[in-house]
Amino acid sequence: MNPSYASYNEFKNQLLAAFRTNEERMNGESKTPLHQLRRAALNQFDLLGFPTIRHEEWKYSNVSGLFKEAFDLESPTTLTTEDLVPLEIPNLDGNILYFVNGRYQPELSRIISPSEQVQITSFAEATKANPDLVGSHFARYADYQDNAFTALNTALASDGVVIHVPANKTVEQPIILRFVTDARQQNIASQPRNLIIVGENAEVTVAESYRTLGDRSSFVNVVTEIALDREARMQYYKVQDESEKAYHIGTTQVSQTDSSHFYSATVTLNGNFIRNNLNIVLNGQHAEAFMYGLYMPNGRQHIDNHTLVDHAMPNSYSSELYKGILDDNSTGVFNGKIYVRPDAQKTNAYQSCKNVVLSLGASMNTKPQLEIFADDVKCSHGTTTGQLNDEALFYLRSRGIPKDEARTLLLYAFSQDVLSQIKIQPIREYLERVVTEKLTK
């Protein structure tokens, strides 16, 4: 048996053992429907195993680096408020919840929205206090049958957040979910699980951010399930600025019903290996989905964005724009699929992916896909990958702007198509500053 295969089995067995240990702690609770579902997910993970590059959906993303590390799955933290100061975003107000190594930290968090507007509960607490709500939505949208990482999260997730917005309510303050990995002392693995339920004609803005403290390795495997009822509206942002030793597998699964509106932006700044899955099912007429993405790998970073928009009902609309800036020896992947079912007549769906490659060592793999089984639709997709526009660079330099500054201006303008879509002003201003700093290095 070669060493890589041995470490693969060691890591897999460690994860299976963690579930069995948790079962022993739960005692009588192991017979609940929720736990039975977890057990089924674990069995599916055991059956599937981790994906390899032989799997079509993982053709360009090799997860074998995970198996070379030993991770602590149950690590307490000594993180304090002072430790979080470098991670703060200036002038950011709202409901701010901190999760350290996947666990909710109430002493570091603040919830300011009244309970009649929104109920915000940790996942661990909600499974006990409101098992009917969790049970009716948990694993209903994010399918674990064919996705090993979703199956693993479904089995092992012990904390995260449950957000429930009642019908006809508008949550006036944004909900900011800050996931911090404390990797100062040891390698950390966490499995956060988020469930967001937005009632009929309700509205909410949610932002997820992922940061790392310390220089040890980390593995975050997060699943967020979102259910939008009739005429519900949601803005959803995801920001990743993790360490050079961070592995991140994230799946966001969205289910939309009639006339609902989902608006998302994903910004990936740093991380060793990042895989973002954004899957949206438009399961209602006149539902709309908008997706924006910006990724900026450098060094030897690898960033993979997979999107799926499933038009299941007639008269729905989706629009998607992803942009990448790649430097050094980094790699990027974009795989976007639009699926139009036979009954989904009058569908409008648009997809675009544009990339700038700044060095000979960087590479970008794109795979736009259309699968259309209806005849009265308007669908298009396109992708471009190239170098910085020499004419635009020459024009700026001819106006007296130094080469490096001109280059930064052009790349910043390229990124603005995505950054300008973020409606929470302090987050947008923070990202604009960080993007500028990264472009000038």
Side-chain angles (χ1 to χ4, degrees):
M1 181 181 295
N2 63 58
S4 61
Y5 189 71
S7 58
Y8 170 94
N9 278 337
E10 288 170 5
F11 187 41
K12 183 180 176 183
N13 289 337
Q14 180 190 14
L15 295 167
L16 296 173
F19 180 85
R20 299 187 185 99
T21 300
N22 191 51
E23 269 194 316
E24 294 175 1
R25 294 174 185 166
M26 296 180 72
N27 296 323
E29 296 182 23
S30 62
K31 296 182 179 180
T32 64
L34 180 61
H35 189 72
Q36 292 300 320
L37 190 153
R38 289 179 179 276
R39 184 177 292 172
L42 185 82
N43 291 336
Q44 190 64 16
F45 167 71
D46 192 16
L47 177 66
L48 293 171
F50 289 108
T52 71
I53 56 174
R54 294 182 180 179
H55 294 76
E56 183 63 28
E57 294 297 311
W58 293 85
K59 182 177 180 180
Y60 302 109
S61 296
N62 191 339
V63 300
S64 63
L66 271 175
F67 316 136
K68 300 174 183 177
E69 306 283 355
F71 292 98
D72 193 320
L73 303 178
E74 292 287 341
S75 177
T77 180
T78 58
L79 206 65
T80 65
T81 304
E82 290 73 23
D83 294 324
L84 297 175
V85 171
L87 307 183
E88 290 181 354
I89 296 177
N91 305 314
L92 181 61
D93 292 322
N95 305 282
I96 301 180
L97 287 75
Y98 275 93
F99 302 81
V100 180
N101 297 344
R103 302 271 181 183
Y104 177 52
Q105 307 293 317
E107 68 281 1
L108 302 176
S109 307
R110 68 173 186 264
I111 298 175
I112 61 176
S113 291
S115 58
E116 59 267 21
Q117 275 187 17
V118 59
Q119 288 90 54
I120 305 173
T121 315
S122 74
F123 183 83
E125 181 183 348
T127 56
K128 299 179 178 65
N130 201 343
D132 292 338
L133 176 69
V134 175
S136 61
H137 292 280
F138 178 68
R140 178 178 174 183
Y141 314 104
D143 183 17
Y144 61 81
Q145 294 297 327
D146 296 318
N147 189 312
F149 287 102
T150 300
L152 178 64
N153 178 281
T154 302
L156 293 183
S158 56
D159 214 350
V161 71
V162 175
I163 299 171
H164 179 216
V165 186
N168 302 309
K169 297 295 182 179
T170 296
V171 185
E172 297 173 359
Q173 295 289 340
I175 301 172
I176 315 296
L177 310 177
R178 307 211 67 183
F179 293 88
V180 180
T181 301
D182 183 5
R184 295 174 297 179
Q185 304 296 327
Q186 53 200 344
N187 298 341
I188 300 296
S190 61
Q191 310 279 333
R193 186 71 174 226
N194 305 315
L195 181 59
I196 304 171
I197 305 147
V198 188
E200 182 175 346
N201 193 38
E203 184 171 357
V204 67
T205 297
V206 178
E208 295 179 15
S209 76
Y210 295 86
R211 299 294 301 272
T212 313
L213 286 175
D215 56 4
R216 303 298 295 270
S217 296
S218 64
F219 169 42
V220 175
N221 179 35
V222 57
V223 175
T224 298
E225 294 185 283
I226 299 172
L228 302 183
D229 207 338
R230 183 183 179 89
E231 297 183 356
R233 299 168 298 281
M234 180 175 177
Q235 295 181 32
Y236 171 78
Y237 307 118
K238 183 174 182 179
V239 179
Q240 297 160 302
D241 190 3
E242 298 174 88
S243 75
E244 296 298 319
K245 294 185 178 180
Y247 294 84
H248 181 114
I249 312 291
T251 297
T252 301
Q253 185 75 43
V254 184
S255 175
Q256 296 186 234
T257 51
D258 290 345
S259 301
S260 58
H261 182 102
F262 181 74
Y263 186 100
S264 71
T266 302
V267 179
T268 306
L269 299 172
N270 287 297
N272 177 36
F273 181 99
I274 306 291
R275 167 67 175 249
N276 292 316
N277 302 310
L278 175 57
N279 307 318
I280 301 174
V281 180
L282 298 169
N283 200 22
Q285 294 200 50
H286 305 290
E288 296 181 336
F290 298 82
M291 295 152 285
Y292 297 90
L294 174 67
Y295 42 96
M296 301 177 60
N298 59 4
R300 302 191 65 85
Q301 295 175 352
H302 178 92
I303 299 176
D304 179 348
N305 284 287
H306 266 59
T307 66
L308 168 64
V309 184
D310 183 354
H311 289 264
M313 297 291 285
N315 301 298
S316 59
Y317 177 88
S318 68
S319 179
E320 180 175 5
L321 173 63
Y322 272 68
K323 286 193 163 189
I325 301 173
L326 298 89
D327 205 354
D328 301 326
N329 294 304
S330 64
T331 56
V333 180
F334 175 80
N335 188 321
K337 180 184 290 186
I338 297 172
Y339 187 86
V340 182
R341 300 193 192 187
D343 293 334
Q345 303 293 346
K346 304 295 183 182
T347 287
N348 287 322
Y350 306 96
Q351 179 191 100
S352 178
C353 176
K354 300 179 180 181
N355 304 282
V356 176
V357 177
L358 300 176
S359 68
L360 294 176
S363 63
M364 183 70 202
N365 302 285
T366 60
K367 187 181 178 183
Q369 294 176 265
L370 292 177
E371 294 189 21
I372 302 172
F373 299 94
D375 51 20
D376 188 7
V377 302
K378 292 181 180 179
C379 297
S380 67
H381 65 74
T383 179
T384 59
T385 299
Q387 297 176 329
L388 206 57
N389 190 308
D390 288 336
E391 292 184 4
L393 189 62
F394 176 79
Y395 175 83
L396 291 178
R397 294 189 67 189
S398 69
R399 295 301 185 269
I401 300 175
K403 181 179 179 180
D404 289 345
E405 186 176 337
R407 172 182 177 275
T408 299
L409 284 172
L410 288 174
L411 293 173
Y412 177 80
F414 179 80
S415 70
Q416 272 296 301
D417 286 342
V418 175
L419 295 179
S420 63
Q421 304 301 325
I422 297 176
K423 309 304 181 184
I424 304 176
Q425 184 176 345
I427 294 180
R428 184 179 68 251
E429 292 176 349
Y430 167 80
L431 289 175
E432 289 173 342
R433 177 175 60 82
V434 174
V435 166
T436 302
E437 290 174 354
K438 185 163 185 176
L439 291 175
T440 54
K441 289 182 178 179

